[in-house]
């Protein structure tokens, strides 16, 4: 929202307990038509002029989404008479002059199957308040009420629906429909809500009730196993921070055929996962999909401290009308991405080899991002809105993920802190300090605060580290960090397209011969091989091929996804080959010289006891074992 419009209510208004100035009624207009029915009841005495807005973005997902475009009808009336509504900009309406109670009735189209917006069909209703709740300017910081209406029997939906949310219930029925209260508008939009036929399971962490509510076609899921795995992950994180600043927590999970995503909130998270990633009854091993799901849960849970409470000053509160820039997203997403997997191994959910595999793959993915030489981590954070969230075919050449590089830099910072302090200080200590000074006190984090705190804990100037790793684009000294942590690292050519490196039992032997490469990422197409990305400096780019081109022949032979690698391998080393490709509907010929691929695939292994010092060994054990 425009901060100039944010006016503190008088103490008298803010403390009126009985009838909040803003009361929302939320119902289903048409499940088949994906329409929510909403009414905002504005009490007498609210600030004038009365302006209403929907946010343009949702905290945690840094893209302007313009949620107000989904409002399909909106009218207002007072005492039975229509009140004029004038649209002021893409998401703001102004009510005609009134001072008494007003009802604003509107319908919102909701068919976004993601964790960021709202969704309604006969199987479920899901919403974030940022997609449905109009904010009355000037009342952001005042309490508000929400009434959730059970769909009518005539609608034919919702018979078996229950309400899942961490909003505070005031008067609700057995299924959870009824009245809820929010401290203020910011609170009202920070609790995702779902009405559906849920399967649920609970567990406690330090006496705090936690719940997993699952929707979708999930009859096969072993919910008890999921809870049994989540509990130690949550317990580990609560122990790491030394405080669990919540009264309850909800994992709101929707399973679909193919989906992945999560969004953090103060007391809950919304997760979208692939059905097959859920643990099936009778399964005991941790499949790759289940490991990914546990990592996602771990990630969003970690955010309850890191970003929801240890938060940038720029987000306290955020201006939801436009982009809010910060150079710190690497701290919030990168550090969280480091700990999400680390929490799995430290809580005993995955073995060390499995964790090393995840770490090695992160290194590989970074090395396959030429954009790491163009964009610093701080710039990646600042420009998330227009670059990371609007990634196009050139993104790998132009940008770097603040999640990916941020997680590796967090690991590097962990290694540096340990190394420089004879293992007296680690990244865990930095997080605890961030919690006690910022998260627990509500003080927002400014640019430079993390560096200053790290230097204070470490007792030395860490500017060279941050200049190189956060503000610069030089290669990360990953080999040094491996050595500090007692790991062996080896970089090699990829064996095939799916090879992302991994964990080894010991020093690798002879490498397989390198296969010629074009320096591209491809997609399978019905009539050839499509180019998704053409990497800077690679053979394809030098010959003039572009992302979007469809390769149809290599050396005069029709190319398919199945024979692509084989056709390239027939080209003698150092020779060039004719490649034919369509760009749009125009056939083009290219003279391409395939080359040995870069050694961009990382393997990691635990150095044997004979190859490490006792300091390295002890450090490695503390690193992988946690507090
Ligand atoms: Zn995150």
């Amino acid at each position: 929202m425009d901060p100039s419009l944010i006016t503190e209510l008088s103490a008298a208004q803010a403390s009126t307990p009985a009838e909040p100035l803003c009361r929302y009624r939320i119902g289903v207009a048409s499940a088949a038509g994906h329409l929510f029915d909403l009414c905002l009841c504005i009490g007498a005495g609210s600030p004038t002029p009365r302006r209403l807005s929907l946010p343009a973005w949702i905290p945690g997902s840094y893209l302007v989404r313009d949620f107000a475009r989904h409002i399909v009808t909106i009218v207002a009336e007072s005492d039975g008479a229509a009140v004029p509504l004038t649209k002021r900009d893409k998401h703001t309406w102004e009510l005609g002059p009134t001072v008494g109670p007003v009802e604003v009735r509107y319908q919102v189209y909701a068919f976004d199957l993601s964790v960021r917006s709202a969704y309604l069909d006969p199987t479920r209703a899901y919403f974030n308040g940022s997609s449905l709740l109009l904010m009355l300017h000037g009342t952001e910081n005042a309490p508000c009420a929400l009434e959730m209406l059970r769909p009518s029997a005539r609608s034919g939906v919702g018979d078996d629906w229950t309400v899942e949310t961490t909003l505070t219930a005031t008067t609700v029925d057995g299924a959870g429909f009824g009245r809820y209260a929010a401290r203020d508008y910011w609170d009202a939009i920070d609790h995702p809500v779902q009405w559906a036929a849920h399967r649920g399971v609970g567990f406690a962490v330090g006496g705090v009730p936690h719940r997993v509510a699952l929707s979708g076609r999930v009859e096969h899921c072993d919910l008890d196993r999921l809870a049994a795995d989540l509990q130690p992950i949550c317990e580990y994180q609560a122990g790491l921070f030394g405080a669990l600043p919540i009264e309850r927590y909800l994992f709101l999970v929707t399973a679909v055929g193919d989906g992945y995503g999560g969004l953090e909130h103060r007391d809950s998270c919304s997760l979208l996962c692939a059905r097959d990633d859920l643990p099936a009854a009778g399964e005991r091993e941790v499949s790759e999909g289940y490991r990914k799901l546990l990592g996602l849960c771990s990630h969003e849970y970690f955010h309850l401290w890191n970003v929801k409470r240890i938060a940038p000053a720029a987000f306290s509160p955020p201006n939801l009308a436009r982009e809010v820039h910060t150079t710190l997203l690497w701290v919030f997403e990168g550090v969280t991405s480091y700990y999400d997997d680390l929490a799995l191994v430290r809580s005993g959910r995955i073995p060390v080899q499995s964790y090393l595999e995840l770490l090695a793959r992160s290194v590989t993915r970074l090395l396959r991002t030429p954009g790491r030489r163009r964009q610093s981590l701080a710039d990646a954070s600042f420009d998330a809105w227009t670059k990371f969230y609007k990634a196009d075919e050139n993104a790998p050449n132009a940008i770097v993920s603040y999640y990916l590089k941020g997680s590796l830099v967090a690991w590097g910072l962990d290694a540096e802190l340990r190394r420089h302090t004879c293992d007296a200080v680690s990244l865990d200590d930095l997080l605890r300090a961030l919690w006690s000074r910022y998260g627990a006190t509500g003080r927002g984090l400014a640019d430079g605060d993390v560096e200053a705190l790290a230097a204070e804990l470490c007792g030395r100037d860490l500017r060279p580290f941050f200049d190189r790793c956060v503000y610069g684009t030089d290669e990360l000294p990953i080999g040094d960090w491996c050595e500090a942590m007692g790991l062996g690292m080896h970089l090699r050519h990829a064996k095939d397209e799916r090879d992302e490196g991994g964990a080894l039992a010991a020093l690798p032997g002879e490498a397989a011969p390198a296969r010629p490469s074009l320096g591209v990422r491809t997609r399978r197409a019905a009539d050839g091989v499509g180019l998704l990305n053409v990497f800077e400096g690679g053979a394809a780019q030098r010959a003039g091929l572009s992302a979007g081109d469809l390769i149809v022949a290599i050396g005069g032979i029709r190319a398919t996804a199945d024979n692509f690698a084989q056709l390239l391998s027939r080209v003698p080393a150092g020779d060039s080959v004719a490649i034919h490709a369509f760009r749009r509907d125009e056939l083009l010929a290219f003279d391409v010289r395939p080359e040995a691929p870069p050694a961009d695939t990382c393997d990691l292994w635990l150095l044997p006891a004979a190859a490490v010092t006792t300091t390295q060994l002890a450090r490695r054990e503390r690193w992988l074992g946690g507090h």
Side-chain angles (χ1 to χ4, degrees), residues 60 262-264 299-300 303 306-307 332-334 336-337 403:
L263 194 62
E264 67 276 9
H299 181 98
E300 304 308 342
H303 273 315
N306 193 32
V307 89
F332 300 107
E333 292 302 347
T336 300
S337 296
Y403 286 82

Side-chain angles (χ1 to χ4, degrees), residues 206-549:
V208 176
H210 286 53
R211 178 171 165 78
V212 182
L214 197 53
S215 69
R217 299 189 177 180
V218 290
E219 299 78 9
H220 70 290
C221 174
D222 183 348
L223 260 184
D224 291 335
R225 182 181 177 200
L226 183 57
D229 283 329
L230 287 180
Q231 188 197 32
I233 294 169
C234 299
E235 266 174 357
Y236 162 72
Q237 294 189 17
L240 170 69
F241 283 97
L244 186 55
I246 51 174
E247 289 174 11
R248 62 209 155 122
Y249 194 84
L250 173 65
F251 291 93
L252 194 53
V253 188
T254 297
V256 293
D258 185 22
Y260 178 79
L263 194 62
E264 67 276 9
H265 301 278
R266 281 174 74 90
D267 301 332
S268 62
C269 61
S270 286
L271 305 170
L272 190 69
C273 73
R275 200 175 296 124
D276 290 344
D277 290 349
L278 290 165
E283 270 178 17
R284 292 298 359 132
E285 78 284 6
V286 177
S287 68
E288 197 160 330
Y290 186 41
R291 182 177 69 178
K292 189 169 80 168
L293 175 64
L294 290 177
L296 180 63
C297 294
S298 176
H299 181 98
E300 304 308 342
Y301 192 75
F302 198 86
H303 273 315
L304 87 80
W305 293 273
N306 193 32
V307 89
K308 295 310 296 189
R309 289 175 173 85
I310 303 168
F315 290 179
S316 323
N319 178 349
L320 295 178
R322 50 157 297 156
E323 296 89 344
V324 179
H325 297 282
T326 168
T327 59
L328 293 174
L329 288 185
W330 74 271
V331 174
F332 300 107
E333 292 302 347
V335 171
T336 300
S337 296
Y338 172 51
Y339 275 95
D340 59 20
D341 290 336
L342 194 57
L344 302 189
V345 68
R346 285 184 175 177
S347 64
R349 295 308 92 194
I350 60 171
V352 166
Q353 287 296 99
S354 179
Y355 175 69
L356 292 188
E357 178 180 77
L358 292 166
L359 187 59
R361 288 182 182 178
S362 292
V363 175
T364 298
R365 287 204 300 275
L366 181 70
L367 295 177
R368 292 181 188 174
T369 307
R372 72 187 187 282
R373 299 191 207 96
R374 284 270 172 83
Q375 191 186 45
S376 72
L377 210 38
D379 288 344
S381 299
F382 190 91
D383 283 328
W385 301 83
T386 50
K387 295 200 170 187
F388 184 77
Y389 271 90
K390 292 185 178 176
D392 59 18
E393 71 285 351
N394 193 48
N397 295 324
I399 68 173
V400 70
S401 161
Y402 50 86
Y403 286 82
L404 174 63
K405 185 174 177 183
S407 72
L408 291 169
V409 168
W411 174 51
L413 182 56
D414 199 0
E416 295 290 339
L417 289 172
R418 289 169 194 268
R419 189 162 61 178
H420 289 314
T421 62
C422 298
D423 295 284
V425 173
S426 73
L427 195 63
D428 299 354
D429 298 294
L430 179 59
L431 278 164
R432 283 189 280 270
L434 284 168
W435 168 250
S436 62
R437 294 203 198 167
Y438 296 89
T441 63
R443 185 174 150 209
L445 215 60
D447 289 3
D449 281 357
V450 172
E451 286 106 295
L453 193 52
E456 182 190 320
L457 292 179
C458 192
R460 65 185 286 156
D461 183 7
L462 290 173
R463 255 177 303 184
F465 174 88
F466 288 104
D467 284 348
R468 176 174 184 174
C469 299
V470 174
Y471 300 103
T473 55
D474 289 348
E475 292 290 6
L476 297 179
I478 290 171
D480 294 350
W481 299 339
C482 283
E483 194 194 335
M485 295 300 211
L487 299 184
M489 181 181 91
H490 175 66
L491 297 179
R492 57 174 173 79
H493 312 295
K495 290 199 275 279
D496 56 44
E497 282 200 335
R498 286 193 305 219
D499 182 8
E500 290 191 291
L504 302 176
L507 185 69
E510 193 94 341
R515 295 145 41 101
S517 160
L518 294 184
V520 295
R521 200 161 70 85
T522 62
R523 69 175 173 86
R524 180 178 284 267
D527 42 4
V529 178
L531 299 186
L532 289 171
N533 306 107
V534 174
F535 296 116
E536 191 164 292
Q541 194 199 50
R542 273 188 278 109
L545 281 151
S546 293
D549 289 352

